């Protein structure tokens, strides 16, 4: 892998170098060398600066590596900065996903209060932006958390909120309409 990295850097093939650095990071993680893994991921990051989605993925991997090394504060700080980045993109689906990552980091760090608060924020953002599937998936995570903590009242209230908003949500979700449109056209072609 190191020779692949060296060759990629020599011929200025940043995409191949980034992938090779990520593979090296994975190997170092398997060897429990989290510092080395973070270093390799940072090298990968340098090669994808012009690709925001790749930057996000690599930074998420760095946050996961911090979690594996029980460096929760670093993971939380990084995930919070990623939430801010996704907010700038005006991409609610990416923002909801990143909020969920942040919530899970809080849960792992045993800060359940902040974790549930951020997960609820992700749920409400999905609802506000007519992301039916994201809202449903986040709802499931919220309800699972409530059930684990024997807070059945909160679980029922969350379900009730979702059911009350479901008709409006489905009617407003353009991704569901597009999916149905493609299904109809696909059936006509057959």
């Amino acid at each position: 892998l190191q020779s692949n990295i060296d060759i990629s850097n020599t011929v200025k093939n940043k995409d191949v170098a980034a992938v090779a650095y990520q593979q090296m990071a994975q190997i170092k993680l398997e060897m429990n060398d989290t510092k080395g893994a973070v270093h390799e991921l940072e090298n990968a990051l340098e090669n994808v600066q012009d690709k925001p989605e790749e930057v996000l993925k690599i930074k998420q991997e760095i946050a996961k590596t911090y979690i594996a090394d029980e460096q929760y504060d670093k993971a939380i700080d990084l995930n919070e900065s990623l939430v801010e980045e996704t907010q700038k993109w005006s991409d609610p689906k990416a923002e909801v996903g990143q909020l969920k990552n942040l919530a899970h980091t809080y849960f792992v760090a045993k800060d359940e209060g902040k974790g549930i608060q951020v997960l609820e924020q992700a749920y409400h953002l999905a609802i506000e932006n007519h992301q039916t599937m994201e809202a449903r998936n986040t709802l499931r995570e919220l309800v699972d958390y409530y059930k684990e903590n024997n807070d059945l009242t909160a679980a029922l209230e969350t379900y009730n909120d979702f059911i009350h908003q479901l008709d409006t949500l489905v009617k407003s979700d353009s991704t569901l309409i597009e999916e149905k449109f493609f299904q109809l056209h696909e059936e006509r072609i057959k």
Side-chain angles (χ1 to χ4, degrees):
L1 278 176
Q2 187 59 49
S3 62
N4 285 350
I5 291 170
D6 295 338
I7 292 169
S8 298
N9 285 332
T10 304
V11 296
K12 306 238 188 263
N13 191 336
K14 291 184 173 192
D15 292 338
V16 173
V19 170
Y21 281 123
Q22 288 173 293
Q23 290 171 341
M24 284 290 286
Q26 186 61 40
I27 289 169
K28 290 192 178 199
L29 266 178
E30 290 171 6
M31 296 170 41
N32 293 321
D33 179 7
T34 54
K35 288 180 183 166
V38 168
H39 177 72
E40 297 297 341
L41 289 167
E42 288 170 346
N43 287 335
L45 201 53
E46 291 175 19
N47 287 284
V48 295
Q49 289 301 322
D50 57 335
K51 299 178 180 174
E53 290 174 3
E54 288 300 312
V55 168
L56 179 70
K57 287 178 188 174
I58 293 172
K59 285 183 177 181
Q60 288 172 338
E61 286 302 314
I62 292 171
K64 288 178 187 175
T65 304
Y66 286 147
I67 291 169
D69 197 32
E70 297 181 0
Q71 297 182 45
Y72 303 125
D73 290 338
K74 285 184 176 181
I76 288 168
D77 289 344
L78 183 53
N79 275 316
E80 286 175 344
S81 73
L82 292 174
V83 168
E84 290 173 14
E85 274 185 49
T86 55
Q87 287 171 339
K88 294 175 188 172
W89 296 356
S90 298
D91 180 356
K93 187 172 183 175
E95 187 178 347
V96 167
Q98 194 51 50
L99 282 167
K100 287 167 61 173
N101 285 341
L102 177 58
H104 293 297
T105 304
Y106 278 125
F107 288 136
V108 171
K110 305 291 186 219
D111 190 344
E112 294 178 355
K114 283 188 179 177
I116 199 68
Q117 180 182 11
V118 172
L119 199 54
E120 286 173 347
Q121 183 182 349
Y123 168 71
H124 291 294
L125 181 67
I127 293 284
E128 289 168 15
N129 287 282
H130 314 294
Q131 300 286 321
T132 307
M133 301 312 284
E134 287 298 319
R136 183 200 66 183
N137 293 339
T138 308
L139 169 81
R140 286 181 178 164
E141 291 180 41
L142 273 169
V143 169
D144 287 345
Y145 172 81
Y146 291 138
K147 284 180 183 177
E148 287 173 17
N149 290 286
N150 293 320
D151 192 351
L152 299 180
T153 303
L156 288 173
E157 287 173 0
T158 306
Y159 270 132
N160 191 32
D161 177 63
F162 183 73
I163 294 299
H164 277 63
Q165 297 187 55
L166 189 58
D167 285 342
T168 306
L169 189 60
V170 170
K171 289 176 185 175
S172 302
D173 189 343
S174 62
T175 60
L176 295 176
I177 295 168
E178 290 168 6
E179 187 176 309
K180 186 65 177 173
F181 177 77
F182 287 122
Q183 286 175 350
L184 290 173
H185 282 297
E186 196 174 272
E187 288 175 12
R188 288 181 185 164
I189 292 171
K190 292 178 184 178

